[in-house]
Each structure stands twice: as structure tokens, then as C-alpha cells.
Amino acid sequence: VIILGGVGRGKTTLIEALVAKYPAEHRPVQYHVRPAAMSLATLYGAVTQARWQEGVLPRILHKIRPCSLAWIILDGGVGHIFDRMYSLLHTGVYHCVSGEK
């Protein structure tokens, strides 16, 4: 789900209302990220000193249990960071697998 709108337009209120519709024991785990406040390397990961440094999004994805209900909320303006996010999500292929990875 993508919720877009200007500052003060009710996006957070909408998210809170959607979460409240779930029974307490089945509410989604929420991860809030402000992509505009970090570099692409911090957000996605990068090679530093010949070693892969995992970014914020991959770390969150590793925390999410397979097939569990989790929302990653990317809060901020739509810009160059979201261009890369769109290309990652644009495949239209979604997977839910059991196991550790």
C-alpha cells in the first residue's frame, strides 16, 4: 500500500486507523523509516572497505518473520530515494517462503 499526500494531510491518522481495525493480537509490526534523512548507502547498504555493510531496509527485512504481518512505513517526500525503491518493487513478483531466509 502506498499512501501519498502533503504534510498535515492525514497519512499517519489513516495508518493508525487501519492498524486499529486489526484485533490487538494480530496487529502488524510497524517499522518506521525516514529515507530522506539518510544516504542511499545507509538505506539500502553498500560496500565499504571491501566488505558489504547492510542497510536499514535489509536489516528490517531480516527481522520480519516469514509470512508474518509487518508494515515498513517509509515516511517523507517522494524523491530520488523512492525512484530506486520503485524499481525494486516494480517486478510485480512477491514471495512468502518458510525457513530462516
Side-chain angles (χ1 to χ4, degrees), residues 8-91:
R9 302 293 183 191
K11 298 177 299 294
T12 300
T13 302
L14 176 59
I15 290 169
E16 290 169 354
L18 291 172
V19 169
K21 292 295 182 183
Y22 287 90
E25 65 275 8
H26 296 295
R27 289 198 174 143
V29 175
Q30 297 177 56
Y31 298 93
H32 294 263
V33 179
R34 294 192 54 84
M38 58 188 75
S39 68
L40 290 174
T42 301
L43 184 63
Y44 295 111
V47 175
T48 57
Q49 300 175 352
R51 186 168 177 244
W52 176 254
Q53 183 68 35
E54 209 168 48
V56 171
L57 288 179
R59 283 196 307 267
I60 290 172
L61 291 171
H62 287 298
K63 286 182 184 180
I64 297 172
R65 292 184 329 227
C67 303
S68 66
L69 184 58
W71 294 358
I72 301 173
I73 299 167
L74 304 173
D75 190 6
V78 177
H80 73 283
I81 290 175
F82 284 104
D83 292 340
R84 294 207 178 167
M85 178 66 64
Y86 176 77
S87 67
L88 288 173
L89 298 174
H90 189 258
T91 62

